[in-house]
Structures are given as structure tokens and as C-alpha cells.
Amino acid sequence: VRLPGRLRGFTCDTTGGFGMSSLKEIWNACKRIESIAIRTPIIEDPSGSGLRIKAEHLQRTGSFKVRGAANRVVIAVEQGAKHVITASSGNHGKAVAFIAQRLGIKATIIVPEDARAIKVLGMTSCGATVERCGTTSDARLARALDLSHQLGATFVPPYDDQFVIAGQGTAGLELLEQAPDVEVVYIPVGGGGLLSGMALAIKQTCPWVKVVGVEPELGNDTYLSYQKGEIVAVAGGAPSIADGLRAVQPGSMTFPIMRRHVDEIMLVSEAEIEAATRWMLTTMKQVVEPSGAVSVAAARRAGPARAVALVSGGNLEV
Ligand SMILES: Cc1ncc(COP(=O)(O)O)c(C=O)c1O
């Protein structure tokens, strides 16, 4: 990542959310994943609204997840891992399966009973073993941890891990470089790995840029936790069409980072998510999944002034 001229040599507070220097971890991640993740483009609304998107739906495996997963799995392999296990509603699992195949190790992915077929196919076509377990993120995380202990495999957390967070943060550095005039960035939030990583990267490099997390009204755990100042779990109720954003609570590692570095969490309705997904198709000519379009829904409601919406995934079931 090459920062634009006015940011070069910018010194900042690097004592962010984890370890000695989270910004340094993100820079290290940029180097570690450069041959695996691609630099996705920024695309401007051709109808002239001024809204720009950071197109992570065009990332390898169809989502940003490959950034954090690659950073974590490359480190695991350097430490001797031969088998990785994870729990995922789809995109993180697909990313782990893809990287494991590239690095020549085994992958086992625990998915929910109702996982989207396109995402399961993405995992099995990379040679991963897929096991279904329950419908909540807590149930599949518990099973993945159990199995890792039983088999002596390495567990790859979907979001609550400093190397996964640092990997997701690489999208933030890239965005600043590609859109140096940006004033506000909208980012989807599930367990919070993407939002916390990008917020760390953005706030420690350009603290004047506003960082907004976006959640579905039907999965408002981060919104409620942010309001209350402590982790709140939500369970039950109708599931959102944004299947990647159904975590029942923010992570214990991601939440303090989000509290410190995120300016606002916005909620969007199911109707707004559907409309944004359709708008991406008809106006932007881009195939995106509902989880990836929540940021677009928020940006369209708020107005486009120097805004970039991070579109996080394109694995749409059609
Ligand atoms: C497309 C998409 N966007 C966003 C997210 C949320 O990511 P995180 O759990 O890091 O908040 C996910 C998680 O699976 C996803 O698949």
C-alpha cells in the first residue's frame, strides 16, 4: 500500500486496539497477504450521485474475508499447522478453504444448517470438509473449537483474533490510498472484524475521516452494545436477509476497538437492504449480496458527500 503524498510521513497514535502497535500489524498484514488478496477497485456511481464503493465483492472468493483469513492462516502454516478448522456462515469459510488449498493444508468448516448453497459449494470446490451445526454463531463456534482440540488442528476465528482483524484492516489502508479525499466510510458489521480492522487503519492514519458501522435492524447486537457501553447479545427473532451479519453479539476483542475508533453505528431496514442490493445491480451494474449492500443502504440514506461504502461481498444466491 502506497499512501498518497499528503499522508506520507504522517505520524500518529499507534497504540490502538491490540498488541504494541495495531497499525504496524496492519502494515505487516499488507505484505503477508499481497500475493493472495487482490487490490479491489473503487467504483463511482455512474448516475452522478458522487457515491463511491470499495468493491470487496470483487475480491478473491467474492468477499473481503480472504484478507483476514490469509493473514491468520499464513502465520499458522509458518508455525507448522497442517489442518485448519473454522466456523462460518459462509464467506469466512470459503476464504479459509481457498487459502488452505493454495497452501496445501486441510480445511474443515462448520456451517449453519441453513447455510447458502453457493457458499457451501465454494468451500467444497476448494476441497474443504463441511459439517453443519445449529443455526447460531455461538453453536458453530463451540463445535469448531471442540473439533480443533480433538484433532489437534488450528482454529481460525472468523473475527475475534488480532491477525484476522489486522488482515481486514488492509482494506482500510487501501481505501485511504484510493480515495484520499474521503470524509465518511460506511462499513458492514457482523462480529466486527471488518469494522474494527478498518477503523483501526483509518483512525490511526486519518483521524478526521468519519467511520460508520452498518447493521440490519434485525441483527442490532452491535448497535445495542454500542449504546449501552457493554456487550449485549440478541437471539431469536426473524433472521435478516443479510446472512453474513447475523452474529448474536460483537466479539470480546472487536467490541472495545469499535467503541474506541468507530463514530457511529447505523441500522438499516430489510426494505432498505433489498433496495440497495437491487440498486447495485441496476445502477452500478454490480452483483452483490445483501450483507455487502447494507453500507450502500446507509450511504444512500445519509447522502453521498465524499462517502465511500465498503461493499463486503458478492456471493449472491440466484
Ligand atoms: C459479506 C459479509 N459482509 C460482512 C460480514 C461481517 O464481517 P465481520 O464478522 O467481520 O463483522 C460478513 C461475515 O460473514 C460477510 O460475509
Side-chain angles (χ1 to χ4, degrees):
V1 174
R2 298 169 307 281
L3 284 176
R6 77 188 170 102
L7 297 178
R8 262 185 228 129
F10 182 84
T11 48
C12 52
D13 167 23
T14 55
T15 56
F18 50 75
M20 44 156 202
S21 162
S22 42
L23 190 59
K24 191 162 165 241
E25 285 296 357
I26 298 170
W27 281 95
N28 288 342
C30 288
K31 281 192 232 103
R32 211 174 277 124
I33 71 172
E34 74 186 347
S35 67
I36 302 177
I38 59 168
R39 182 186 166 84
T40 54
I42 297 267
I43 306 174
E44 193 165 331
D45 170 10
S47 72
S49 72
L51 177 62
R52 285 166 288 177
I53 61 158
K54 168 77 172 149
E56 282 294 296
H57 61 295
L58 303 178
Q59 184 53 264
R60 289 222 162 97
T61 74
S63 88
F64 73 96
K65 284 283 187 183
V66 86
R67 294 175 181 269
N71 196 38
R72 189 68 195 80
V73 176
V74 167
I75 290 170
V77 168
E78 281 167 7
Q79 292 168 347
K82 302 264 185 296
H83 183 184
V84 284
I85 296 186
T86 196
S88 167
S89 68
N91 284 330
H92 171 66
K94 192 173 167 188
V96 169
F98 170 79
I99 296 152
Q101 186 182 45
R102 264 181 91 118
L103 300 179
I105 61 170
K106 267 178 74 178
T108 302
I109 322 289
I110 314 297
V111 302
E113 302 284 356
D114 58 351
R116 299 270 195 264
I118 185 177
K119 292 179 178 171
V120 173
L121 184 65
M123 298 169 200
T124 50
S125 64
C126 286
T129 303
V130 172
E131 183 186 307
R132 290 177 190 268
C133 174
T135 52
T136 67
S137 52
D138 284 358
R140 57 184 180 271
L141 274 173
R143 171 68 184 147
L145 277 166
D146 236 35
L147 201 62
S148 311
H149 287 132
Q150 265 175 46
L151 302 177
T154 303
F155 175 63
V156 182
Y159 47 83
D160 236 4
D161 175 274
Q162 77 176 76
F163 296 113
V164 172
I165 294 170
Q168 319 305 27
T170 62
L173 291 183
E174 246 177 60
L175 187 154
L176 292 177
E177 186 190 326
Q178 295 168 301
D181 63 331
V182 66
E183 285 173 356
V184 51
V185 181
Y186 295 91
I187 303 167
V189 48
L194 177 64
L195 179 58
S196 54
M198 287 189 70
L200 279 170
I202 292 170
K203 288 296 188 183
Q204 293 180 97
T205 311
C206 301
W208 55 87
V209 174
K210 187 173 175 189
V211 174
V212 179
V214 189
E215 254 189 334
E217 284 171 0
L218 292 184
N220 60 352
D221 53 289
T222 303
Y223 177 84
L224 294 177
S225 305
Y226 197 83
Q227 299 286 314
K228 196 160 180 218
E230 63 188 59
I231 293 177
V232 174
V234 296
S240 169
I241 52 165
D243 62 308
L245 309 182
R246 289 183 193 158
V248 292
Q249 62 184 61
S252 55
M253 189 176 250
T254 58
F255 181 63
I257 302 174
M258 293 191 280
R259 273 202 83 198
R260 177 157 175 203
H261 295 285
V262 173
D263 296 288
E264 185 185 343
I265 305 286
M266 272 177 79
L267 293 178
V268 289
S269 68
E270 294 298 290
E272 285 177 303
I273 301 171
E274 267 184 57
T277 308
R278 211 170 312 114
W279 182 83
M280 285 295 295
L281 195 61
T282 54
T283 304
M284 298 290 281
K285 317 297 177 197
Q286 301 294 315
V287 177
V288 309
E289 59 183 281
S291 304
V294 296
S295 52
V296 174
R300 292 185 72 214
R301 191 205 299 157
R306 299 198 186 211
V308 176
L310 185 297
V311 173
S312 53
N315 292 316
L316 181 73
E317 191 132 272
V318 284

